[in-house]
Amino acid sequence: MVLKTCLIANRGEIAVRIIRACREMGVRAVAVYSDADKGARHVRLADEAVWVGAAPPKDSYLNIAALIKAARQTGCDCVHPGYGFLSENEDFAAAVIDAGLVWIGPPPDAIRAMGVKTEARSLMERANVPLVPGFQSDTATDADFIEAADRIGYPVMVKAAGGGGGRGIRVVRRADDLPEALAGARREAQNAFGDARVFLERYIEHGRHIEIQVLADSHGNTVHLFERECSAQRRHQKVIEESPSPLVDDAMRYAMGDAAVEAARAVGYVNAGTVEFIVTPEKAFYFLEMNTRLQVEHPVTELVTGLDLVKLQLAIAGGEPLPFTQADLAQRGHAIECRLYAEDPRSGFVPSPGTLLAFEAPDAPGVRVDAGVETGDTITPYYDSMIAKIIVHDETREGARRRMAAALRDTVVFGVATNRDFLRALVGHAAFTAGEVDTTFIEAHLDELTAADDGAANALDMALIAAALSEVQAEPTISAKQVASTPDPWARGDGFRIGG
Ligand code: ADP
Ligand code: ADP
Ligand code: MG
């Protein structure tokens, strides 16, 4: 069937990204917004926009009834959930389908099967996908967990069964610390996911996070789009992603790809999804989880495969068969993505909401910027504080790395603190250059990586800059970048970023 009008049940950069795909496919894009997002970029760009509630997510972007109503009101025939929010909520998927709309995502049963990590592990075990040794039980006592951890061998990781976004995770190195870690993880999991269940996995020391993008149509065709490496993590959340992985050779690539396709087939997967693996320094790989949605870092795969994943999602949801087979797919060149956040690395990465007095994105060959905001827009305290994803592509990894370094140098943000200099330090680090960053690297080198930051400006600096910029913005012939390149008392080295 031909999809005509799409409700985008999300906000920010991913809503903007989906609007672009809709435009190219001739699909009308209907945005939704909360009180905090009146006049936001995704609202401005959409063909139509519907208010769905107050700023707190539960009142708006997580409000299933309001979203379905908005879709009906505007004559939508399909719904794209983006990532985060309701994208992995099987009740929302089912409600969309029950309302007679097309769900641009996997079947609710596949979401359910992968939604609880312990159940996904059981399923993957039956499908012969390699698993990290672990222990799971809904009735076990702490004593049972301690006994299991002895069997698995320390260190172990306590993980939330219903987890996501790196929350409800604890690394435990000795039996004495296990009861406290179990209690802490349960508490965090209950608060974050409303599900206190936890389980154990052997902790893979110096592991690498490598994931496989899969695509499946509704005609039984399932392919993989190779790997992304996302080992640059802070608190188990991704900071930089790239493809190909510097660790993976062809044999490993195809073994991981086959395992991911098996995993997808085992749950009757349709649409785009990602199978995440943890990889040991000896290159053994184990299933971690499957994310049953579009991933934040999907652009790196788009740049190396030349495919548009969001357009493919729409085509698949519309019932079209995949326009290629596995043999048609190849990786070309190298892509890297950095997540630019409004946060202050010098104060424990605390979010830094506020108005973007200026946001100048890098503009150069081989650079793509996916942003939900522009100058004058606000990073609200209600949602994720990402400003933009900066993505680069070049023939070689080193070429892409240098291109990213230059792109970050050209990124100008005024009005909020950002992690830009932290990203620059990471991209410029010898370990990143060598392709040797593992999932523990950032935490182990935090002082070094944040020292490069020239520090948050004091209140007086900020006031002066704000005043200077409001004058600049009244004068359209001078851009913020020109101001940035003008020597002045506040300029702090090249790039001229001042955090607040
Ligand atoms: P990924 O591998 O795609 O980063 P995660 O499971 O870490 O997957 O989280 C999904 C993404 O969705 C995260 O980057 C997170 O910032 C985003 N996200 C989760 N919840 C929200 C939310 N309430 N609002 C906006 N973004 C969210
Ligand atoms: P989430 O749903 O929060 O994304 P994951 O299972 O994907 O949870 O784990 C998040 C991150 O935690 C991984 O990317 C990896 O860095 C780390 N991790 C998870 N399990 C293990 C493990 N068994 N050994 C080592 N690191 C792990
Ligand atoms: Mg994960």
Side-chain angles (χ1 to χ4, degrees):
M1 78 181 273
V2 179
L3 302 177
K4 292 200 183 68
T5 307
C6 181
L7 186 92
I8 299 164
N10 214 300
R11 63 177 302 280
E13 69 86 15
I14 196 62
V16 171
R17 168 74 187 88
I18 297 163
I19 291 169
R20 296 229 181 284
C22 286
R23 284 265 201 288
E24 289 180 33
M25 295 182 83
V27 174
R28 263 172 56 78
V30 178
V32 294
Y33 64 96
S34 72
D35 284 342
D37 278 337
K38 285 182 177 146
R41 187 155 184 250
H42 73 284
V43 174
R44 301 196 295 271
L45 291 176
D47 294 300
E48 193 176 346
V50 185
W51 176 82
V52 286
K58 67 171 176 32
D59 297 327
S60 46
Y61 300 108
L62 294 176
N63 183 342
I64 294 181
L67 294 164
I68 300 284
K69 189 170 154 223
R72 282 215 163 108
Q73 256 173 19
T74 52
C76 288
D77 51 15
C78 58
V79 175
H80 196 306
Y83 59 72
F85 295 122
L86 292 169
S87 59
E88 294 185 272
N89 184 309
E90 73 242 33
D91 294 336
F92 183 50
V96 166
I97 295 164
D98 287 348
L101 306 167
V102 172
W103 168 250
I104 303 171
D109 282 346
I111 301 178
R112 187 174 305 116
M114 289 297 188
V116 178
K117 288 192 166 76
T118 45
E119 286 165 28
R121 277 175 59 92
S122 307
L123 245 152
M124 291 302 104
E125 191 165 24
R126 292 200 288 280
N128 291 318
V129 176
L131 292 178
V132 193
F135 171 74
Q136 58 195 68
S137 158
D138 289 346
T139 53
T141 62
D142 281 9
D144 298 330
F145 273 102
I146 290 174
E147 202 186 298
D150 283 336
R151 237 183 2 255
I152 293 167
Y154 285 90
V156 295
M157 201 169 209
V158 180
K159 298 176 69 169
R167 283 184 293 181
I169 287 180
R170 298 277 190 289
V171 179
V172 181
R173 297 190 176 271
R174 1 172 278 153
D176 285 354
D177 297 335
L178 191 55
E180 202 187 309
L182 287 167
R186 285 188 184 115
R187 218 170 25 243
E188 199 174 320
Q190 179 63 41
N191 286 338
F193 319 113
D195 178 352
R197 289 176 297 168
V198 296
F199 66 107
L200 297 181
E201 270 179 11
R202 177 181 291 156
Y203 177 66
I204 305 297
E205 300 264 23
H206 296 288
R208 308 271 290 238
H209 175 117
I210 301 176
E211 59 187 32
I212 303 282
Q213 175 72 52
V214 297
L215 268 185
D217 65 21
S218 53
H219 305 272
N221 306 303
T222 306
V223 299
H224 67 84
L225 271 53
F226 313 102
E227 81 281 13
R228 291 183 291 257
E229 172 150 11
C230 319
S231 298
Q233 299 184 351
R234 199 180 64 81
R235 298 201 175 150
H236 312 298
Q237 277 193 294
K238 299 157 187 167
V239 176
I240 298 184
E241 305 96 348
E242 64 181 302
S243 184
S245 159
L247 190 73
V248 173
D249 55 36
D250 271 346
M252 187 175 171
R253 177 166 297 125
Y254 289 106
M256 292 182 80
D258 284 348
V261 166
E262 278 313 306
R265 288 208 172 108
V267 293
Y269 205 82
V270 177
N271 218 287
T274 294
V275 182
E276 297 189 335
F277 296 94
I278 188 84
V279 179
T280 69
E282 294 74 36
K283 299 195 181 188
F285 61 88
Y286 302 103
F287 174 83
L288 276 184
E289 64 162 344
M290 181 167 189
N291 291 325
T292 52
R293 55 168 163 83
L294 187 68
Q295 205 96 340
V296 174
E297 57 274 20
H298 74 277
V300 295
T301 297
E302 295 188 320
L303 295 184
V304 295
T305 60
L307 298 171
D308 185 315
L309 280 170
V310 182
K311 287 204 286 185
L312 284 162
Q313 285 193 293
L314 284 154
I316 290 168
E320 289 175 37
L322 287 175
F324 41 69
T325 65
Q326 189 70 56
D328 298 325
L329 300 171
Q331 292 168 300
R332 210 202 110 241
H334 198 99
I336 304 177
E337 172 181 285
C338 283
R339 300 188 188 189
L340 182 70
Y341 268 85
E343 62 185 16
D344 189 352
R346 303 264 281 205
S347 310
F349 294 86
V350 58
S352 173
T355 298
L356 295 172
L357 298 173
F359 169 41
E360 289 243 359
D363 180 13
V367 180
R368 162 175 164 183
V369 178
D370 283 17
V373 287
E374 55 196 15
T375 296
D377 287 341
T378 300
I379 303 293
T380 94
Y382 292 100
Y383 317 115
D384 191 83
S385 61
M386 188 156 72
I387 300 169
K389 304 186 304 204
I390 299 170
I391 314 113
V392 300
H393 184 248
D394 198 13
E395 286 307 316
T396 64
R397 183 174 189 274
E398 180 57 12
R401 192 192 67 80
R402 285 167 180 261
R403 186 159 276 176
M404 179 59 84
L408 289 169
R409 198 179 53 227
D410 287 347
T411 302
V412 178
V413 179
F414 282 158
V416 299
T418 79
N419 65 342
R420 193 202 71 153
D421 289 351
F422 168 74
L423 293 170
R424 286 183 73 186
L426 196 48
V427 166
H429 198 285
F432 187 84
T433 306
E436 285 167 358
V437 165
D438 65 41
T439 54
T440 62
F441 178 84
I442 290 181
E443 256 98 20
H445 295 80
L446 211 50
D447 288 347
E448 192 184 339
L449 293 169
T450 52
D453 199 312
D454 47 17
N458 64 35
L460 179 64
D461 276 354
M462 277 314 285
L464 291 169
I465 291 161
L469 272 164
S470 59
E471 278 172 33
V472 168
Q473 272 159 22
E475 168 54 80
T477 56
I478 305 171
S479 76
K481 204 171 246 168
Q482 285 171 290
V483 171
S485 61
T486 309
D488 68 38
W490 308 304
R492 297 172 185 226
D494 67 338
F496 192 75
R497 173 248 180 202
I498 298 192

